[in-house]
Every structure is written in structure tokens, then in C-alpha cells.
Amino acid sequence: MSPSRWWALPVVLVAVFMTTLDFFVANLAIPSIRAGLAASGSQAQLVIAAYGLAYAAGLVVAGRLGDLYGPRRVFLAGLAVFTLASAACGSAPSPGALVVARAAQGVAAALLAPQVLTLLGALYRGADRPRAFGWYGTAVGLAGVGGQAIGGLLVAADPMGLGWRACFLVNVPLGLAALVLTPWLVPAPAAGAAGAARTGAAAGARSGGLDVLGAGLVAAGLVAVVLPLVQGREQGWPAWTWPCLAASVPLLAAFARRQRWLAASGRQPLLDLDVFAAKGFASGLAAVALLFGGSAGVSFVLALYLQEGLRLGPLAAGLVCTALNAGFFAASLRTASLAGRLGHRLPLAGAVTLVLGLASLHHAVGGAGAVPYRVAGALLVTGAGMGLVMSPLVSAVLARVRPARAGAAAGVLGTVQETGGVLGGTVTGTVLLGSLSAGWPAAAQAGLAVPMVCALGVLAVLALTKPARAPAPACA
């Protein structure tokens, strides 16, 4: 492979770093956003949920767009939208404008995610491929570990008086640089891959192209679930919330029926629902949804509790939160070696560690004597549990699907991850904000009860599920 292709790697990974960083940075900036824009609790939740919800709904479509129009072209489109949306976030004059801009960021992140994986797979072959994907994992890990500390630093430093806005505006120069460099440094997929993409595009054209109706149904179904959960508590659960929640069932059912009809008629569905026929795949997805829901819930509790409950500054709060991601990163680096010793029991061991970490965190935030170093210690164990369970769990879920359906399975998995995160963060926020009258320690403990239930659910699913015969090896 030409050495010049390695210049493409940092350009592609800038997109990975920005989209991962943006979730953690926004979490840390929530208290400053609430103060700066006079945002309500539900509006603050929507700032986080809008990104994850748009990302989840967009993933269903983004992979198909890459097949139709080519991964580099869609990658450039995603970069452009993400950069513009980041500028809109940083200049938002109201909570509503910020929520809309965050949703646009989520759509752009969804456009980028599958194209990054496609480009890495097409540009790097043989022994170079593990190295490239290793750097991909490092970029995700570094964004996770440093995200909240970077957010705290930006808010505390207040560059040019921007405050929380700097957390979003920092993406603009990075995005512009990547946009300029991509045409020069990121080649189009090699002839074979390009030919396959063109073949896929032609097939897509013959089969009706993008399923716009299906995309609308799944997006509407997800919004019908999340919107009433976010807005209902603050508005006293008005009458519209219940029909809205109920509407999600027929909308998602209609999406499923349409996908089956498209597949049966020889057309290309957005999601190949036959992947659910693989034994243990659905239960594995349930564990993934619970895991990501619990993770998002912990992040939301910490963002508010550390700054508004313990009265820490944004930088100090970011450093405490870094313990969670540091534990995750350190444990993830050990999954490959531990998998050799524990085999299929590794996810179960990780789930037990996660439950113990959350139990210690629940204890650490209770009472008036809570101190940051105890919270950080509990977060380190919690993060380690997440790191031990996440990689082998995802690997085992995908191992249950035949290689011919691996792409569809990965799309379903990504959608479940993001949807689980949105719902977990939303439900946790609803419980936390609804318990504030009892004081911050009690509210934090109430909020953390949701991630604890999620972790116990993961443990139960893993304990009851028979391991795949040949699970893919976990890797850092």
C-alpha cells in the first residue's frame, strides 16, 4: 500500500474524534447552558437527547446513502453539515435554537460514522488494517477519556468570553481543516471497492433507491418515544404525552412491516430484519441497549450533581468525570488478554464489576459528606466494568449473525446503541429532576437507580443467554 495513504488516517479520524467528543463536552456544559440561556430542565435534556436521537435515526439511512453515492462524497457532506451545525450551536440565541442545531449535529454524525468504517476498510489492507482500526479505537478512547475534562477546561477558561459556546465552536476550525484536506489526502476507494460501490448504487437505483418513507417512519417512532418522556415531567404530564407514546408502537410496527415488504419484493430495505432470526441476537441487543442506557444515565447525573450538587467548577467536575472514562479505557485495553483466560465469561465478569461500581457510586453521592475523590474512585470501578463488558458483548452479538448479514447487523446494533443511550439518559434525567425537592444527594441517588436497574438487566441477560459457539475475539 502506498505510504501516502497513511496521511488519510488523521483526516478521517478527526471526524471520529469530533463526533465522540461532542457528546461528552455537551454533558459537561449542561449547567452552564442552563444558566446562560435560562434553559429549563427538559430543554437541557433535549440538548443531549436531540443529538443521540438524530444520530440513532440517521444511522439507519446513512449506510444506504454511502452505498448509493460513495463513502467519500457522503463523508464530505457529513463534515460540512457537522461544521455548520457546530457553528449554529455555538451561536444559538435560545434553548430551542440550540436543540435544533444539536439535532443537525446528530444527523451529520450519523452520516459520518458508517463512511469512516467503510473508508478505513477500503484504504487499508492486510497487516495495515488492524493498525488503522487500532488508531480508530484510540481516537474514540481519547475523546471519551478527555471529553469532559476538555469541556470543563473550555468553560472554565472562557476564551474570548464564549463560555459554554467554545465547547461547540472548537469543532469549526477542525471541521474546516478536514474539509479542505479530504479531497487532497483521502483517496476514493480502490478500483474494486469503487466498482462494488457503483454496482450497489446501480442496484439501489433499480430497487427504488433510498426508502424515504421507511426513514420517516423510524424517525417519527423514535421521536414519539423520547419527546413525551423529556417534556412530560416538567409540563405535568399533559394529555398529549400519552397518545404520543402510544403512537410510537404503530409507527415502529409500520416501519418493520415496510422493511419486510421491501425485502420480499426484491427491493433494498433500510434494515434487513432477518438478522433478528439469529439465535441470541435479540437478547444481545437488549443487553447492549441497557448498557448504553445506563452509561448515558450516569453521565447525565454526574454533569448536574458535581456542579450543582457539590458546587465544583466545570474544570474540577470534568476531571472527576475523567475517572469514569479512564477506567473504561484502561479496562478496554485488557479485554483481548482477559478474553483468552475467561472466554465467554468475560462480559459476565464485566457486568458484575459494573454493578459493584454503580453500587459504590450510589453510596458515594449519598448524604452531606460526599467528597469528589470518593465519587472518582467509584467512577473508576464503574468505568472498568463498562470497559470489560462492552467490547466482548458487541463482538459476541455480531458473532451470532452470518457474515452475509454482518452489515445489516452492524446497522441495527448502532441504532440500538444510540436509541438505548437516548432513552436511558432521558429516563434518568426525568427521575433526577423530579426528585430535586428532596435535595441533591437524594436526587442523585434516585437518578443513579436507573443505571443500576440497567446494569442488573445486563447481568441478567448475560447470565441467562447461552454463549455463541464461536464468538469473535474481543479487541481493544
Side-chain angles (χ1 to χ4, degrees):
M1 189 187 76
S2 171
S4 63
R5 293 207 173 189
W6 286 109
W7 289 105
L9 189 61
V11 178
V12 172
L13 294 186
V14 161
V16 176
F17 187 83
M18 285 194 304
T19 53
T20 304
L21 183 73
D22 232 58
F23 173 79
F24 293 101
V25 163
N27 255 311
L28 201 284
I30 282 296
S32 299
I33 291 171
R34 291 182 69 186
L37 293 180
S40 66
S42 63
Q43 287 171 327
Q45 284 180 270
L46 278 174
V47 170
I48 304 299
Y51 184 83
L53 182 60
Y55 189 99
L59 274 174
V60 179
V61 181
R64 182 81 177 118
L65 288 175
D67 291 338
L68 289 171
Y69 301 109
R72 190 174 72 161
R73 185 180 298 177
V74 179
F75 177 81
L76 280 166
L79 269 179
V81 175
F82 192 85
T83 304
L84 288 171
S86 296
C89 287
S91 57
S94 65
L98 180 57
V99 169
V100 171
R102 284 284 288 169
Q105 273 192 319
V107 170
L111 288 174
L112 288 167
Q115 319 317 324
V116 167
L117 296 176
T118 300
L119 288 169
L120 290 179
L123 296 178
Y124 303 102
R125 305 280 182 168
D128 290 327
R129 181 172 290 183
R131 292 174 59 196
F133 277 92
W135 280 109
Y136 171 87
T138 299
V140 173
L142 289 176
V145 170
Q148 288 167 316
I150 291 171
L153 180 61
L154 288 171
V155 174
D158 194 20
M160 296 183 289
L162 292 171
W164 60 267
R165 298 177 185 276
C167 295
F168 300 109
L169 293 175
V170 71
N171 294 324
V172 175
L174 290 174
L176 289 174
L179 275 170
V180 171
L181 293 174
T182 295
W184 294 90
L185 298 179
V186 180
R198 285 192 296 271
T199 301
R206 289 193 300 270
S207 62
L210 183 68
D211 178 18
V212 177
L213 177 57
L217 286 171
V218 71
L222 292 172
V223 170
V225 173
V226 174
L227 185 62
L229 292 177
V230 173
Q231 295 288 315
R233 182 203 60 81
E234 191 160 289
Q235 297 181 15
W237 299 104
W240 66 267
T241 57
W242 308 113
C244 189
L245 275 171
S248 66
V249 176
L251 284 168
L252 294 175
F255 170 74
R257 284 197 301 270
R258 179 167 176 80
Q259 300 314 293
R260 291 202 180 281
W261 174 77
L262 288 172
S265 60
R267 302 173 66 184
Q268 182 66 44
L270 284 175
L271 284 180
D272 182 0
L273 297 180
D274 285 343
V275 296
F276 289 95
K279 187 176 180 181
F281 183 70
S283 61
L285 288 180
V288 169
L290 289 167
L291 179 64
F292 278 79
S295 175
V298 170
S299 295
F300 191 87
V301 171
L302 292 175
L304 293 177
Y305 169 73
L306 292 174
Q307 295 182 70
E308 297 186 8
L310 293 186
R311 301 294 180 186
L312 297 182
L315 180 57
L319 291 174
V320 172
C321 290
T322 299
L324 177 72
N325 299 305
F328 176 88
F329 193 47
S332 295
L333 294 176
R334 298 286 298 161
T335 55
S337 59
L338 289 173
R341 297 184 217 167
L342 299 177
H344 67 268
R345 296 185 301 275
L346 178 58
L348 193 62
V352 171
T353 305
L354 175 58
V355 170
L356 293 175
L358 285 170
S360 62
L361 180 60
H362 188 273
H363 177 73
V365 302
V371 291
Y373 75 84
R374 289 178 184 165
V375 174
L379 286 174
L380 195 66
V381 178
T382 302
M386 291 179 182
L388 289 174
V389 71
M390 188 172 294
S391 175
L393 173 60
V394 170
S395 179
V397 169
L398 293 178
R400 296 177 178 277
V401 180
R402 296 202 306 268
R405 290 177 177 160
V412 172
L413 183 64
T415 303
V416 167
Q417 288 175 355
E418 295 303 318
T419 305
V422 170
L423 293 176
T426 299
V427 173
T428 300
T430 299
V431 173
L432 171 72
L433 296 170
S435 305
L436 280 178
S437 59
W440 269 106
Q445 287 188 317
L448 287 172
V450 177
M452 175 62 80
V453 170
C454 290
L456 290 172
V458 173
L459 181 59
V461 171
L462 292 176
L464 296 173
T465 301
K466 184 178 179 180
R469 289 186 178 181
C475 59

